[in-house]
Amino acid sequence: KVKKALENYDLKNKKNNFPFTKDSKLIAKSFASKNVLNSIKKISKTDSAVLLSGKNGSGREFLARKIHLDSNRKNKQFKVIDFSLRDFSKLENEIFGFEHDKVTNFIGSLEEAVGGTLFLKNIDKMNKKMQGKFLRVFEEKKFYRVGGASSIKTDFRIISSSNYSINQLKTKLFNKELINKINFYEILVPSIENRKDDINDLVIEFLKESLSI
């Protein structure tokens, strides 16, 4: 039974988030993990935009949700737009919403996130056209539904994730104006190999959960 639980742990951890227990309390014994938690504590209560940079599977989305839940916007929505999984031909309607006539309207992610947090997952996968559209949103602090004539004011916090740091994004032909406009506070999320001091407690917590101890 223990062996099976450990096998499950290994499979789960390959795609797992940042170290955390089943009650969502973060495990952070390693120096790298403590640095991340200190940064989150420092930034959560502000409205600053955040970039969580690190490898896939390091738990960036979990940390984004934690920042949201620790913020003053916690009672509003946390909306995720994943640019690595989307068909960009359909994405514009999903993000901005659309108006076809007085009956056929669709509320997009930007509108749903008003008052809350917008998580731009894998922002480094955003294409040039979409970068330009987001730059306009942040410059004008408003947006329009596709086909709509009335503007909607922006009121949401931006949290983004990327495989690359801010400096690396700038060297990869990402829109520098967009990066500067968002004015990210960057948190480097370490991979599991850089937080080995957390592993023992992670295994113990996972075994407790798997064996219902």
Side-chain angles (χ1 to χ4, degrees):
K1 199 172 182 181
V2 172
K3 182 180 179 182
K4 183 66 175 177
L6 285 171
E7 288 174 352
N8 289 338
Y9 171 80
D10 184 60
L11 288 172
K12 186 177 180 181
N13 197 55
K14 286 178 181 177
K15 57 180 180 179
N16 205 5
N17 282 327
F18 195 87
F20 66 98
T21 66
K22 61 184 178 181
D23 60 359
S24 296
K25 291 183 179 179
L26 291 168
I27 290 175
K29 282 192 171 181
S30 67
F31 180 77
S33 297
K34 288 177 180 177
N35 274 346
V36 171
L37 293 192
N38 287 335
S39 295
I40 287 176
K41 185 177 180 180
K42 176 182 178 181
I43 203 69
S44 289
K45 295 298 184 184
T46 73
D47 235 8
S48 298
V50 178
L51 176 67
L52 298 164
S53 56
K55 294 181 179 179
N56 291 335
S58 58
R60 298 167 302 180
E61 184 171 344
F62 176 81
L63 292 174
R65 290 182 185 276
K66 177 169 177 56
I67 293 170
H68 171 70
L69 291 173
D70 289 346
S71 76
N72 297 324
R73 295 177 178 266
K74 63 184 178 182
N75 294 322
K76 298 294 185 179
Q77 289 211 48
F78 177 89
K79 293 298 298 182
V80 181
I81 303 172
D82 188 348
F83 291 98
S84 69
L85 302 175
R86 302 289 184 163
D87 178 351
F88 280 96
S89 64
K90 301 177 181 178
L91 189 58
E92 185 175 359
N93 285 350
E94 292 184 32
I95 292 176
F96 295 94
F98 65 84
E99 294 182 12
H100 180 64
D101 50 43
K102 291 183 178 180
V103 178
T104 309
N105 295 323
F106 177 78
I107 297 175
S109 296
L110 295 188
E111 198 168 343
E112 289 182 320
V114 168
T117 300
L118 186 67
F119 180 46
L120 305 179
K121 187 174 181 178
N122 298 305
I123 194 175
D124 48 298
K125 306 294 186 184
M126 188 189 292
N127 68 14
K128 296 288 184 184
K129 181 179 178 181
M130 192 60 67
Q131 289 175 37
K133 289 182 179 295
F134 268 91
L135 176 59
R136 183 178 178 183
V137 169
F138 295 131
E139 284 180 336
E140 298 182 356
K141 301 186 185 303
K142 63 182 180 181
F143 61 92
Y144 296 83
R145 292 177 181 172
V146 176
S150 300
S151 64
I152 302 168
K153 291 184 178 180
T154 59
D155 176 23
F156 42 71
R157 183 184 194 167
I158 293 291
I159 302 178
S160 299
S161 71
S162 169
N163 287 330
Y164 305 103
S165 67
I166 290 175
N167 288 335
Q168 288 173 325
L169 282 174
K170 288 180 177 178
T171 63
K172 290 185 175 294
L173 302 179
F174 198 87
N175 192 313
K176 296 180 179 63
E177 286 185 74
L178 177 58
I179 293 175
N180 293 333
K181 196 69 182 177
I182 297 176
N183 191 24
F184 285 116
Y185 176 91
E186 184 172 15
I187 298 177
L188 301 175
V189 182
S191 54
I192 193 66
E193 58 263 27
N194 293 321
R195 51 183 198 245
K196 293 179 180 178
D197 290 344
D198 298 329
I199 293 177
N200 285 342
D201 283 2
L202 277 172
V203 172
I204 290 170
E205 288 297 329
F206 189 80
L207 283 173
K208 285 181 181 178
E209 182 178 348
S210 298
L211 300 175
S212 299
I213 297 175

